[in-house]
Amino acid sequence: MARLVMKFGGTSVADLDRIRNVARHVQREINAGHQVAVVVSAMSGTTNELVGWCREASAFHDAREYDAVVAAGEQVTAGLLAIILQNLEIDARSWLGWQIPILTDGAHGVARITGIDGARLIERLEINQVAVIAGFQGIGPDNRISTLGRGGSDTSAVAIAAAINADRCDIYTDVDGVYTTDPRMVPGARRMARVAFEEMLEMASLGAKVLQVRSVELAMVHNVPMVVRSSFDDPEAIDSSPGATPPGTLICDEEAFMEQQLVTGIAYSKDEAKITLRRVADRPGVAAAIFLPLSQGNVNVDMIVQNISEDGKTTDITFTVPQGDFARARKVIDDQRESGEISCELVSGSEDVVKVSVIGIGMRSHAGVAAQAFNALAEKGINIQLITTSEIKISILIDAAYTELAVRSLHSLYGLDKKQD
Ligand code: ADP
Ligand code: ASP
Ligand code: MG
């Protein structure tokens, strides 16, 4: 017997038929003798619609009321799934964030979970009642409903798994696992049997939107094994008996790996904008004068490059920010220029850039991975604008027009393409 969290995303609960299909997956686990807590997303498209309504109501809406609106989608699916499970004669009860409670901080719209008391859920699981929990939501210190940021039901699921000491957190979605790159862009992408937490964390934060980044962080900290798997598989054709390996991709501790691949996957992010400051006076304190006000203005700076000064007097500085922060970042820089805090000749910016990243734990012990990537891009005539590296990843900023070419070339370069029959 195992204790499981089963999370179902938007396409998996898109309509009543899909919710009935979810109920059959739950029924299979119950019949195999497992204790089950389910976390559901809103029906696909619902959250977008709710967000759209808030924007239409007012461009500058109160974040607390935004949360009151956008959390509604998950409430509907939790109730519907509980009704359908009850129809199958499975004891089930729905739970909203505040009822558990799932406590969060006060950052409405992008709240972080600060604590979950799993005791009441465990009581229900022990009498074999299925807990059907609305994902994406919690309750803030102001006693108001809060939401966890887009894609946040993944994080709800992992946090609950940690709180109830679950053996596994299964993330059911519309793909049958984590691929070496987005399978929608590269048809030759390969599904991986296993990925280490650290690699998944890099892949998710560098653009692989299959999991919310925070969910992987939590899974790593609490050592909760996650499985990404498809809700579109026939529920009854899967073996859920204790000891059976679930289909999909297992995300777990690196130690569980027999051998490591050099490169695990390629991710890309289109959510990038680049700002360049030319002929900035080259003196101590100049970087602080640029980046301190940006951080105070809540602008998330990612890649930074400062050129070596040719004349010892001026230099160029380029950095990237998420597209949503672009206008704010330009304003901060303009304000700093006007007040004389920074002196530079020209500020330019562009949103036509994309960040392509190569990820792999094997890079720790192998040299030359970056050089191979630069060479492959050069052969395709793709100009590299910025580079950043860490122990297990290389990120390269390029012109957005070359995204697909770059991702495919790097995917082939490291031997990640599916074997042809
Ligand atoms: P859900 O609604 O179930 O939460 P998401 O749309 O958030 O589903 O995540 C699943 C999608 O993630 C897939 O349809 C796929 O296009 C995309 N995706 C991006 N990168 C990857 C990857 N490396 N492996 C698998 N899927 C990926
Ligand atoms: N429904 C929310 C969203 O669309 C949360 C989720 O699906 O994970 O972002
Ligand atoms: Mg998702």
Side-chain angles (χ1 to χ4, degrees):
M1 195 269 293
R3 183 175 287 167
L4 303 175
V5 171
M6 305 172 75
K7 181 260 171 178
F8 295 89
T11 40
S12 304
V13 293
D15 54 35
L16 281 178
D17 273 346
R18 300 286 326 143
I19 299 177
R20 285 195 189 97
N21 176 70
V22 163
R24 288 164 60 214
H25 280 288
V26 175
Q27 189 174 38
R28 182 195 63 234
E29 302 295 350
I30 296 289
N31 289 346
H34 305 307
Q35 293 181 354
V36 175
V38 186
V39 174
V40 285
S41 288
M43 293 176 173
S44 63
T46 299
T47 310
N48 284 347
E49 187 174 35
L50 297 173
V51 171
W53 285 345
C54 290
R55 290 196 181 133
E56 220 178 294
S58 165
F60 301 102
H61 45 259
D62 186 322
R64 287 162 295 195
E65 302 312 338
Y66 165 92
D67 276 351
V69 176
V70 301
E74 274 70 11
Q75 174 165 345
V76 174
T77 29
L80 288 173
L81 178 58
I83 292 173
I84 290 171
L85 285 169
Q86 288 169 1
N87 258 352
L88 295 173
E89 305 202 333
I90 294 170
D91 186 14
R93 185 58 66 207
S94 69
W95 295 78
L96 299 180
W98 62 269
Q99 290 171 307
I100 295 176
I102 297 176
L103 303 176
T104 72
D105 64 14
H108 283 279
V110 287
R112 286 168 80 93
I113 296 175
T114 52
I116 300 180
D117 182 357
R120 285 164 75 193
L121 286 179
I122 291 173
E123 274 170 27
R124 304 296 182 107
L125 297 183
E126 282 179 345
I127 56 163
N128 288 322
Q129 187 178 79
V130 176
V132 185
I133 300 158
F136 183 50
Q137 56 170 265
I139 180 163
D142 53 0
N143 208 28
R144 297 205 148 267
I145 199 160
S146 53
T147 63
L148 310 178
R150 298 307 305 270
S153 296
D154 297 330
T155 302
S156 309
V158 175
I160 285 160
I164 63 172
N165 222 344
D167 297 285
R168 213 173 66 217
C169 181
D170 285 350
I171 305 285
Y172 287 81
T173 183
D174 57 3
V175 273
D176 59 358
V178 179
Y179 280 69
T180 44
T181 192
D182 187 349
R184 287 187 207 203
M185 175 172 285
V186 183
R190 218 169 356 104
R191 183 165 62 83
M192 296 182 271
R194 282 163 177 243
V195 191
F197 284 131
E198 264 187 290
E199 289 173 310
M200 193 62 235
L201 192 60
E202 291 283 11
M203 289 202 45
S205 54
L206 295 169
K209 293 213 171 93
V210 60
L211 290 174
Q212 200 196 35
V213 179
R214 181 84 183 117
S215 72
V216 189
E217 254 168 42
L218 274 184
M220 189 157 111
V221 170
H222 296 284
N223 204 3
V224 178
M226 299 172 85
V227 174
V228 174
R229 55 193 292 183
S230 173
S231 72
F232 289 75
D233 290 344
D234 177 5
E236 282 83 33
I238 299 166
D239 178 7
S240 282
S241 52
T245 308
T249 301
L250 173 67
I251 303 158
C252 63
D253 227 16
E254 194 189 333
E255 262 125 58
F257 287 64
M258 296 296 283
E259 56 181 277
Q260 284 166 358
Q261 265 198 298
L262 186 57
V263 168
T264 305
I266 314 290
Y268 64 92
S269 163
K270 294 185 170 171
D271 181 25
E272 308 289 327
K274 179 183 78 166
I275 296 178
T276 300
L277 280 64
R278 292 207 191 282
R279 302 189 68 78
V280 185
D282 191 15
R283 54 180 154 74
V286 75
I290 296 169
F291 295 110
L292 216 54
L294 285 171
S295 80
Q296 283 158 352
N298 282 325
V299 173
N300 244 324
V301 175
D302 178 18
M303 309 168 100
I304 302 176
V305 169
Q306 175 174 338
N307 286 351
I308 292 178
S309 171
E310 272 177 24
D311 54 5
K313 289 187 192 126
T314 64
T315 181
D316 295 343
I317 295 181
T318 301
F319 58 92
T320 62
V321 297
Q323 286 189 356
D325 290 350
F326 187 47
R328 206 145 31 95
R330 297 248 358 204
K331 171 143 187 4
V332 170
I333 299 293
D334 287 343
D335 289 350
Q336 286 290 94
R337 270 181 91 190
E338 263 169 41
S339 67
E341 291 295 320
I342 45 178
S343 77
C344 66
E345 266 177 27
L346 191 75
V347 182
S348 60
S350 156
E351 290 182 277
D352 291 332
V353 286
V354 74
K355 182 172 68 178
V356 178
S357 306
V358 178
I359 299 126
I361 281 189
M363 279 187 220
R364 274 196 195 128
S365 46
H366 283 81
V369 179
Q372 279 177 300
F374 304 152
N375 190 41
L377 296 182
E379 274 174 8
K380 300 283 178 196
I382 301 172
N383 188 36
I384 297 173
Q385 302 184 13
L386 291 180
I387 302 164
T388 51
T389 60
S390 79
E391 247 193 331
I392 67 162
K393 72 120 206 276
I394 308 152
S395 291
I396 299 164
L397 195 78
I398 59 169
D399 188 325
Y402 296 106
T403 313
E404 207 164 318
L405 182 62
V407 171
R408 286 181 185 212
S409 307
L410 295 173
H411 196 262
S412 305
L413 172 71
Y414 297 110
L416 298 175
D417 290 339
K418 236 181 338 212
K419 306 248 174 328
Q420 302 291 328
D421 295 327

